[in-house]
Amino acid sequence: MLDFEALTKSSGEWLKGVGPESDVVVSSRIRLARNLDRFPFPPQTSDAIRGEVEAVLRGPVVEVLPPGSMGYVRVDPLETLDRQFLVERQLISREHSEAKGPRGAGIGPQESMSLMVNEEDHLRMQVLRSGLALDECWQEINRIDDELQQQVNFAFNEEFGYLTSCPTNVGTGMRVSVMLHLPALVMTKEIQKVFQSMHKMSLAVRGLYGEGSQAMGDFYQISNQMTLGKSEQQIIKSMQQVIPDVLEYERRTRREMVKDNRSKLHDKVSRALGILQSARTITSEETMHLLSSLRLGINLGLIDGIEIPTINELFIHTQPAHLQKLSGTPMESSDRNAARASHIRLRLAPVEPTSEGE
Amino acid sequence: MSRARLTRDDTMKKCMRCTKPATLHITEIQLGQAQVVHLCETCAQKYLSSTEVGGMPSMQMEDDEAVSESEAEGVALAAEEVEEDSPEVSCGGCGITFKQFRSVGRLGCPQCYTSFHDDLQSLLESIHQDTQHVGKCPPQTSANTLRHHELMRLRSELKASIERENYEEAARIRDQIQVIEAQAASSGESPAE
Ligand SMILES: [Zn+2]
Ligand SMILES: [Zn+2]
């Protein structure tokens, strides 16, 4: 069983803010979609069949979880709040939280892996790492997939590869994504150029939490769209070829901003810190926005005394389900705004602003 | 089997395929003998695209494009398209029709990929710009299939490197393709085409 109490107080390894290129890259993730060959896909079937699938997969999933894993949890009996909590934690997808019937999730050590049973496909497995670490993600998930294939037959045909509920995932069943923090490109509106060039490379760009195109807190996820006709290594390699250009673009823009407008930028990030340290009520959206500025300020050396992992953790811990789990009671939105402000004040309290700049 | 080495310069040699000046010089080492093929950029693209084992430029190059893998399969499967007009074909595995799939965007079961093969093939072409898996396969997959996938993967890489005008890489990939084709031939299979 999953220990929600402990989970609430901790945070995942992938939020540590270490790892290669972590000034811009928050995390790397690879997920694989797999299905059992003799069962209908979860969205188009009955609870009875979903139950059979869950029973077939639960054992193998538990068995392949590495030592130190947090364990397997049945998602369908959970309260809405707990399911939402797991979504905020990125341990299950929103689709999995809202799906129907028997389903579960195996959670690996330090929240760096999760295996969802009966999401849109019978099995969705993902590995998460801090920073830019796609090769490590692939090694780990490939190993897990190999081990599972010793025990179960996945639906596969030689022409179309691994068969999935949605044809957009067929073939490798693989989605490779990298979460980037791009505040400078957003501020200068250069981000549009990134969208265009990613689009040309058939890569998708999505905002972190917001729906639609408006990203909250300047976080963008870049991922492959095509899953058929390329090998896993080719897909990973093509991501590894384009990501460094985006990172360099963001860094160059940051440097130019500091060079041309240091005092204005210093003012902006210091004000962000000021509001976060003193607000009595704050929305999730404003929090994202200000934390993003603060993260930029820390990475540029304009703010000392706060660590990146603290900021990364606040992005997660200030979301609705987390606030309610932390306080132990369900709360309306206005109460949450107050609780959010108080949580942030507490976490950012002991900070001394930097010397006067110049 | 051959090993190619590629050099690039502007000697006054003429392209062996046309009358333009040759800028790329590909040294083919075949049965211990080296032969240099002098080509202009346009002809080099075609030359490297063609992956016939040991062919010298005078013997090939008639076809513009590298072999299209799915052609043979395409022909065989075209026969099934006869059913196209008959009203509602439903999947034997789960019972949904292609129309139902189109409205929900999700297939019903793995067997749908066989039941709606032709319709899905054109859909997959538009989504992925490809219709053939070349990635990881289950452990029980035959060596023959793996080799087939490897060849198709390399051919798409070859095409991409020629498009990027990276002829050094193209020559290297072409050599790999020839090695695999030779393996297939010696193990008694016809090379996948
Ligand atoms: Zn020529
Ligand atoms: Zn079906």
Side-chain angles (χ1 to χ4, degrees):
Chain A
M1 224 1 247
L2 210 56
D3 184 353
F4 276 93
E5 195 73 20
L7 257 183
T8 308
K9 288 180 181 124
S10 67
S11 60
E13 187 277 341
W14 61 275
L15 282 170
K16 269 198 318 215
V18 290
E21 324 285 0
S22 55
D23 56 328
V24 182
V25 185
V26 180
S27 61
S28 304
R29 184 176 70 142
I30 296 185
R31 77 106 164 102
L32 296 178
R34 297 286 187 259
N35 288 279
L36 296 175
D37 57 0
R38 291 167 297 106
F39 292 93
F41 297 130
Q44 320 294 8
T45 195
S46 63
D47 277 1
I49 298 208
R50 293 190 189 105
E52 274 183 62
V53 168
E54 200 269 342
V56 170
L57 282 174
R58 189 198 313 136
V61 163
V62 169
E63 206 165 303
V64 298
L65 285 175
S69 287
M70 312 196 69
Y72 183 84
V73 62
R74 271 293 286 264
V75 171
D76 45 311
L78 293 179
E79 304 276 341
T80 312
L81 187 62
D82 286 340
R83 282 187 276 128
Q84 200 190 336
F85 173 84
L86 293 176
V87 173
E88 289 175 2
R89 212 49 177 253
Q90 313 216 7
L91 292 172
I92 67 173
S93 63
R94 179 154 286 128
E95 291 72 25
H96 196 230
S97 159
E98 290 161 8
K100 286 185 290 228
R103 59 197 192 279
I107 316 281
Q110 297 174 297
E111 302 172 44
S112 59
M113 174 192 299
S114 80
L115 293 89
M116 287 175 273
V117 176
N118 279 338
E119 206 243 28
E120 178 184 296
D121 294 297
H122 294 144
L123 190 60
R124 286 279 181 102
M125 338 179 225
Q126 64 164 27
V127 167
L128 269 160
R129 287 281 183 280
S130 190
L132 187 60
L134 293 174
D135 290 325
E136 289 83 344
C137 288
W138 169 243
Q139 277 164 22
E140 181 75 350
I141 199 136
N142 189 35
R143 187 181 62 76
I144 296 285
D145 183 50
D146 283 343
E147 282 182 35
L148 280 166
Q149 296 211 36
Q150 302 296 321
Q151 302 184 57
V152 285
N153 286 330
F154 290 137
F156 178 86
N157 87 36
E158 292 181 355
E159 185 181 10
F160 297 145
Y162 289 98
L163 306 177
T164 52
S165 166
C166 183
T168 52
N169 295 310
V170 79
T172 56
M174 183 169 83
R175 192 80 62 213
V176 176
S177 44
V178 175
M179 180 76 73
L180 305 176
H181 185 220
L182 304 174
L185 292 177
V186 172
M187 258 184 257
T188 55
K189 305 207 163 57
E190 299 285 302
I191 192 84
Q192 286 305 329
K193 290 184 192 155
V194 175
F195 289 162
Q196 281 158 16
S197 72
M198 293 299 118
H199 186 73
K200 263 188 220 142
M201 316 262 327
S202 301
L203 297 173
V205 185
R206 263 182 234 98
L208 175 48
Y209 298 108
E211 302 295 299
S213 62
Q214 189 60 41
M216 293 172 79
D218 311 322
F219 289 95
Y220 291 89
Q221 181 177 282
I222 295 181
S223 55
N224 66 303
Q225 285 183 294
M226 294 175 192
T227 56
L228 181 65
K230 288 196 181 76
S231 70
E232 291 80 359
Q233 284 82 358
Q234 285 176 308
I235 294 170
I236 291 168
K237 206 172 123 197
S238 63
M239 288 282 279
Q240 287 169 330
Q241 279 165 351
V242 301
I243 296 296
D245 294 343
V246 182
L247 304 190
E248 195 36 49
Y249 197 8
E250 166 70 19
R251 288 182 187 131
R252 197 172 62 233
T253 313
R254 287 182 188 181
R255 283 197 300 272
E256 279 163 14
M257 280 170 53
V258 173
K259 198 168 122 249
D260 300 344
N261 240 326
R262 186 190 167 93
S263 55
K264 197 173 156 205
L265 195 61
H266 198 174
D267 181 64
K268 182 182 159 80
V269 301
S270 304
R271 279 168 184 273
L273 178 58
I275 294 171
L276 289 167
Q277 281 177 324
S278 52
R280 297 281 145 181
T281 171
I282 191 165
T283 63
S284 167
E285 202 179 336
E286 186 180 9
T287 304
M288 293 284 179
H289 184 67
L290 297 173
L291 284 175
S292 173
S293 292
L294 195 51
R295 195 181 194 276
L296 176 65
I298 297 168
N299 275 325
L300 291 176
L302 297 170
I303 289 181
D304 307 317
I306 306 177
E307 305 290 330
I308 289 293
T310 308
I311 304 300
N312 289 349
E313 190 183 284
L314 278 174
F315 276 111
I316 305 288
H317 283 188
T318 56
Q319 291 183 57
H322 270 77
L323 288 172
Q324 294 172 77
K325 293 294 282 181
L326 282 166
S327 78
T329 49
M331 287 183 283
E332 295 295 310
S333 139
S334 61
D335 293 334
R336 286 204 303 268
N337 290 345
R340 181 177 297 113
S342 126
H343 181 77
I344 296 169
R345 284 202 311 277
L346 215 65
R347 295 292 282 124
L348 296 180
V351 179
E352 302 270 309
T354 32
S355 54
E356 298 314 298
E358 58 266 49
Chain B
M1 199 177 310
S2 72
R3 279 281 167 279
R5 206 182 63 237
L6 187 130
T7 51
R8 190 194 284 265
D9 68 57
D10 302 313
T11 52
M12 293 311 291
K13 281 212 166 55
K14 272 204 176 137
C15 172
M16 290 162 77
R17 297 288 305 160
C18 69
T19 53
K20 282 188 263 174
T23 51
L24 290 154
H25 312 279
I26 302 169
T27 309
E28 298 280 8
I29 298 159
Q30 220 171 330
L31 306 168
Q33 289 217 311
Q35 263 180 303
V36 186
V37 185
H38 308 281
L39 296 169
C40 73
E41 187 145 330
T42 316
C43 294
Q45 288 192 358
K46 291 189 188 173
Y47 177 73
L48 289 167
S49 301
S50 157
T51 58
E52 268 172 60
V53 178
M56 285 299 287
S58 54
M59 299 155 61
Q60 48 190 40
M61 313 290 297
E62 266 64 56
D63 289 327
D64 228 357
E65 284 294 324
V67 193
S68 141
E69 296 79 38
S70 52
E71 240 166 58
E73 290 155 277
V75 173
L77 290 157
E80 286 176 26
E81 277 183 344
V82 187
E83 294 232 296
E84 185 78 356
D85 282 337
S86 57
E88 293 281 334
V89 184
S90 58
C91 173
C94 65
I96 73 160
T97 62
F98 194 71
K99 229 179 225 153
Q100 284 172 314
F101 155 68
R102 289 236 87 143
S103 74
V104 291
R106 299 288 181 275
L107 292 159
C109 76
Q111 205 181 311
C112 287
Y113 282 93
T114 323
S115 308
F116 310 127
H117 179 278
D118 296 0
D119 286 321
L120 281 175
Q121 204 172 35
S122 43
L123 181 69
L124 292 174
E125 174 71 42
S126 65
I127 299 172
H128 302 282
Q129 287 156 34
D130 214 308
T131 57
Q132 174 63 54
H133 177 61
V134 296
K136 182 173 180 174
C137 295
Q140 63 273 20
T141 309
S142 72
N144 188 12
T145 302
L146 292 175
R147 197 150 46 211
H148 184 57
H149 284 184
E150 177 74 356
L151 276 176
M152 282 182 294
R153 187 181 63 76
L154 288 170
R155 282 185 187 139
S156 78
E157 277 187 5
L158 178 65
K159 203 166 149 226
S161 56
I162 288 171
E163 276 163 14
R164 286 197 308 272
E165 298 180 9
N166 187 344
Y167 301 114
E168 287 80 1
E169 188 181 86
R172 206 167 51 239
I173 295 169
R174 195 210 52 172
D175 286 346
Q176 282 178 289
I177 292 174
Q178 291 179 342
V179 170
I180 295 169
E181 281 175 342
Q183 282 171 358
S186 71
S187 72
E189 293 155 12
S190 59
E193 253 161 51

